[in-house]
Each structure stands twice: as C-alpha cells, then as structure tokens.
Amino acid sequence: MTVSDLNALMPLTIIAVASVVIMLLIAFKLNHKIIQAICALSFIVSLVSLSNRPSYLSNSLHQLFIIDGFSIFVLALILFSGLVINVFSYIYFEEKEENPKEYYILLLLCTLGAEVLVISNHFFPLFIGLEILSIGLYVLIAYLRTRNFAIEAGIKYLMLAAFSSAFLLFGMALIYTDTGTMQFNLIADHLNKLGMPSIIFLVGFGLMLIAIGFKLALVPFHMWTADVYQGAPLPVTAFIATVSKAAMFTVLIHFFNTIGSNRFQISTLIITLIAIASMLIGNLLALNQQNLKRLLAYSSIAHLGYLLFAFLSSNKLGIEAVSFYLFAYFITTLGAFGVVTILSSKEQDADHIDNYRGLFWHSPIAAIVMTIALLSLAGIPLTAGFIGKFYILSAGIDAHLWMLAIVLVLSSVIGLFYYLRIITTMFSKGDKHIIKENLLHPAYYILSASTLLFLTICMIWFGIYPIQIILFIRSVLN
C-alpha cells in the first residue's frame, strides 16, 4: 500500500481508530461529556483529512475502492452529518435512562460502514460496509429498549435487513457466476464484450435492485420505514434518513453507471416505475400522519424518488443535481430533526403534531427554524430545497424524461399540503406544546442551537445564492 493509498483511506482510518479509542476510554469510566467530545473531534479530523485528495490510487486498492469526486463529496456530507448528529445526541441521551457512552461507538462504526459503501468498487467491500452499517443500526434503533416501539422497530429492521442482505448476496452470486468477477468495471467489460446480458445476469441484477430498494425504502420495499423511524431514538432516525440512505444511493450510482445499466430497457423501465411510485405513494401516505417521525419517514420515500429521477437522466447534469439535492436534503433533514430533538423531554419525544400547536407563541425561534426546514423540504423558493428540485427538473428535462417531470411536480404539490399543515399548527393558538425543563448546562443547549442556526442559514443562503455550492460541486466532480 502506497502513501497515496493511506491518504485516500485516512477518513475511514480515523473513524475506525476513534471507535477503538472510545471503547478503551469507556473501560476507564470516563464520563459522557468526554466521550462525546472525542467522538466529535474524530468527525472533525476525518472531515479535514478529505482535503488531502489523492491524485492516484495503486492498482490493488483500485480493485476494491473508487475514490472519485462524487465519492469525496458524499463522504464529506456523511462526516458532516455525523458531527451534527453527535452534537444533538448529547442533550438527547444525557437525560435518558440508558448509558449513552456505547452509543458513540456504534455511531462511529455505522459511519465507517457508510464510508466503505460510498467508495466500494467491488462486491466484497460493498457487503462488508453494508453489514457494518446494518449491524450497528440494529442496536441503535432499539437503544432505548424501555421506550414504546423501540424493540419492535429494532426487530422489524433486523428481519427485513436480513432478507434484503440475502437478496443482495444471491444477486451478487449470480452475477459472479455469469461474469467471473466481482469488480464493477470488470463486470462492465464483460457486458461490453457480450453486448446483451444473459438471463442469469439479469436475474442477479434484479435481486440486487430489490435489496437496494429495501435499504433505500423505495416503493414497494418501504414497509419498514415508518415503524423504524418512530421507534428509533431521534438522532438515530436522523442518521438513517441521511447517512444510511446517501451511502446506499451512492452504491446504486456507482454500480449502475459503471456497468451502463441505462443500456438495458427493462432496468430503466423498472427504475422509472419505482421512482414514480415512490414520489406519489410516499407523499400520499404522509398526508394523514399525525406523528412527525412517521410523516418524515414517508416524506423521505418521496425524496428518494426525486433522486432516482435525477439518476435516470444518466448525464453529467444528473450527477450534479444528485449532489446538490443530497446537500440540500441533508441540511434540511438535520435541521428538522434537530428542532424535534431540542424540544423533546426526558420522558417522551416531541414527535406528535399536536406538540407543536402554538409553538411560535412560546418558542418562536424553534418554530421559525422548523418552518424554514419544512419549506425547504417542500421545495418553496428562497430555500435550498427549491434549488435542489429545480436542478433535478433541469437534469430530467435535459434527458427528455417528461413523464417523471410531471409526476415530480404533481407529487410536490401533494407534499406541500402536509408540510403546510405542520406550519399552520405551529402558528395557531393552542397550548399542547411540550415545555421542556432544561436539566443540563446552558452551554450544551447553546451549542445545539448554534448548530441549528448554522443549518438554517445554509438553507436560506444556498436557496438565494446557490452558485457558490454549485461551483464547488462542479470543481469536486471534475
């Protein structure tokens, strides 16, 4: 392994070493504050290490990993999200009945698994990364085991994730049987020589698509999403909604683009139908939800459908649109879950819409931040979410995907209804909001509030002046 290889893998190495260090520190009975600070420091150092972008990779490393501009951009989003979730985790877990220290080990390991997924160029690291991510999530989802729905959510995710892993392995086995290789670019070379894929390859390809659909919670593989979102602790729900899905979506882009799946009409048709169903059904299922976690769960299904729309465009503009939309979706989703986390009490999460009745008249800043986040999710102008949807529409129209463009617009109108319902609830008169008693030092609430303020500024700033992040994305991708 060369020095360039070590630099390329430095973000993964730092997170892996940090998880071991925290494990040892817990054995010495260090307190929650120190453990959380070291975890945050590891995310910061790993994020900084991405600036040392390798100019090349050795052949042995290239067989397993692909570290291109898109991978580095997603890695940065993942590490940034991990840092934000770490900040919100302290005030959430410090007051809970469970010992929160082991939580940070699992958070780091799940982040490590997501990082491995993002740079995978081979079935072996793909599966290893997926299992590291999934096994950590099994525990994190049921971490507060005395809470309602926690164990149920953990078991449901365990069973469905196991089924999806079985589909993935079987699909990989069939593709390996047909091509004789597990490396993405060599699979593409094999397909180029044959011209037409065999039946065995198509079956394996379909099984892998099913497994990826489960991990991304795309329709019709979305059954677990709402229950898991509702039962998991709030920081874990935010992690699933952002880091977990972004990592798996990156795998989808890398594998499908490398083998040129757009050449196969059947795969393009299937993904198109999944995108349409996810956009429409995700928004329709969210309409009557009274639990905010479940509402955001179904909303996330629709947003993954929007990303599939950009993915299907199969052009350079499509990758730019996916990158910008992931950025906008990350900061918006983290902002929304951050507000819910800060408002949650020791006994219960502030996850029911009635908890936000009249919130503006008691906590105006929290209501304003949540309003901006919801408007961004809805794709309203002057927010980053609007630019993201406009970018996706531009990429789709450039590829002449008119049907998907019409569905995106119609589904966005449906989504606007339930986002506005929450906003009107916050600005209405009422007294069913949660009044949280601050039991921790004010510095921790100031840090969390400052993080929320930063996310809110990003939502507005990049909604008004998006050219800065667009030029940055283009410079990274080139």
Side-chain angles (χ1 to χ4, degrees):
M1 181 176 288
T2 66
V3 175
S4 180
D5 293 344
L6 290 174
N7 289 334
L9 295 178
M10 191 58 66
L12 286 75
T13 305
I14 293 170
I15 296 298
V17 171
S19 64
V20 176
V21 169
I22 290 178
M23 193 182 306
L24 295 174
L25 293 177
I26 291 174
F28 288 99
K29 309 294 184 182
L30 293 187
N31 61 30
H32 181 196
K33 186 189 306 181
I34 297 176
I35 298 298
Q36 190 259 356
I38 294 174
C39 182
L41 181 63
S42 68
F43 281 118
I44 294 173
V45 174
S46 184
L47 190 58
V48 172
S49 70
L50 284 175
S51 61
N52 188 16
R53 179 176 175 177
S55 58
Y56 66 92
L57 297 174
S58 66
N59 186 56
S60 59
L61 186 61
H62 182 69
Q63 292 176 4
L64 296 176
F65 302 118
I66 176 171
I67 304 180
D68 55 6
F70 181 64
S71 299
I72 292 176
F73 181 77
V74 178
L75 283 175
L77 286 180
I78 286 174
L79 292 170
F80 172 75
S81 299
L83 177 62
V84 172
I85 291 169
N86 173 275
V87 171
F88 293 143
S89 295
Y90 186 87
I91 62 173
Y92 184 82
F93 283 103
E94 176 63 15
E95 304 171 0
K96 300 296 187 294
E97 64 276 6
E98 296 290 341
N99 188 337
K101 298 176 186 177
E102 289 78 8
Y103 162 83
Y104 295 98
I105 301 175
L106 295 168
L107 179 63
L108 287 169
L109 289 176
C110 287
T111 304
L112 176 63
E115 288 181 304
V116 174
L117 277 175
V118 166
I119 64 174
S120 293
N121 188 41
H122 193 282
F123 285 160
F124 179 71
L126 189 160
F127 187 73
I128 294 297
L130 180 62
E131 289 307 296
I132 294 173
L133 173 62
S134 298
I135 292 173
L137 285 178
Y138 299 155
V139 183
L140 286 178
I141 290 169
Y143 198 81
L144 298 177
R145 62 183 187 276
T146 61
R147 298 301 179 93
N148 292 335
F149 309 114
I151 298 298
E152 176 189 348
I155 292 175
K156 182 169 289 189
Y157 186 80
L158 169 64
M159 294 180 65
L160 290 177
F163 275 115
S164 66
S165 296
F167 278 106
L168 185 67
L169 276 176
F170 197 13
M172 289 176 178
L174 291 177
I175 291 176
Y176 177 70
T177 300
D178 182 64
T179 63
T181 181
M182 292 187 286
Q183 191 174 333
F184 294 175
N185 51 355
L186 294 183
I187 293 173
D189 292 341
H190 178 82
L191 292 175
N192 291 332
K193 291 178 183 178
L194 292 180
M196 286 295 294
S198 66
I199 296 298
I200 294 177
F201 181 89
L202 289 176
V203 173
F205 184 83
L207 291 174
M208 286 192 65
L209 183 59
I210 290 173
I212 294 173
F214 268 111
K215 296 299 182 182
L216 293 176
L218 296 166
V219 175
F221 316 109
H222 64 285
M223 296 79 71
W224 60 271
T225 315
D227 292 337
V228 170
Y229 272 51
Q230 184 178 6
L234 276 165
V236 178
T237 305
F239 186 92
I240 297 171
T242 54
V243 174
S244 177
K245 293 190 176 182
M248 206 64 209
F249 196 82
T250 305
V251 170
L252 176 73
I253 290 176
H254 275 156
F255 180 64
F256 283 31
N257 283 351
T258 301
I259 68 172
S261 62
N262 57 317
R263 296 176 298 174
F264 315 141
Q265 292 184 353
I266 183 65
S267 68
T268 302
L269 176 61
I270 291 173
I271 296 174
T272 300
L273 293 176
I274 290 174
I276 292 173
S278 298
M279 286 188 279
L280 290 175
I281 295 177
N283 281 312
L284 288 172
L285 289 174
L287 282 176
N288 293 322
Q289 296 298 320
Q290 297 301 314
N291 185 285
L292 195 56
K293 281 185 177 181
R294 297 181 71 88
L295 185 147
L296 291 174
Y298 290 124
S299 169
S300 70
I301 297 172
H303 286 285
L304 264 296
Y306 303 151
L307 284 170
L308 277 184
F309 177 26
F311 165 72
L312 284 167
S313 63
S314 300
N315 53 30
K316 183 179 179 181
L317 187 60
I319 297 297
E320 291 181 10
V322 167
S323 301
F324 187 94
Y325 199 86
L326 282 174
F327 169 77
Y329 176 72
F330 268 53
I331 60 174
T332 303
T333 303
L334 291 172
F337 278 110
V339 173
V340 181
T341 301
I342 289 179
L343 293 178
S344 296
S345 64
K346 180 179 180 180
E347 293 76 22
Q348 62 174 326
D349 293 344
D351 58 356
H352 199 279
I353 292 180
D354 278 346
N355 297 144
Y356 296 83
R357 191 171 303 281
L359 179 66
F360 176 77
W361 309 105
H362 304 277
S363 301
I365 295 178
I368 291 172
V369 171
M370 179 62 89
T371 298
I372 294 171
L374 293 173
L375 291 176
S376 184
L377 286 171
I380 299 300
L382 302 184
T383 64
F386 169 75
I387 302 299
K389 282 189 179 178
F390 183 82
Y391 220 146
I392 286 178
L393 272 173
S394 299
I397 292 173
D398 186 63
H400 305 291
L401 301 175
W402 297 104
M403 176 61 73
L404 283 169
I406 293 171
V407 172
L408 186 148
V409 173
L410 291 176
S411 62
S412 297
V413 173
I414 297 172
L416 184 61
F417 173 81
Y418 57 81
Y419 291 127
L420 289 178
R421 178 160 59 93
I422 302 172
I423 294 172
T424 55
T425 300
M426 289 190 294
F427 285 84
S428 64
K429 294 292 184 179
D431 57 359
K432 291 187 178 181
H433 63 285
I434 291 179
I435 301 178
K436 179 174 177 177
E437 181 182 358
N438 295 339
L439 302 176
L440 304 178
H441 192 279
Y444 298 110
Y445 294 102
I446 293 174
L447 178 60
S448 298
S450 300
T451 304
L452 272 180
L453 178 62
F454 174 76
L455 293 172
T456 306
I457 291 173
C458 287
M459 289 180 227
I460 298 174
W461 181 263
F462 294 115
I464 300 174
Y465 302 105
I467 189 62
Q468 296 171 333
I469 188 66
I470 290 173
L471 291 176
F472 174 74
I473 289 172
R474 288 176 180 172
S475 66
V476 171
L477 295 182
N478 292 331

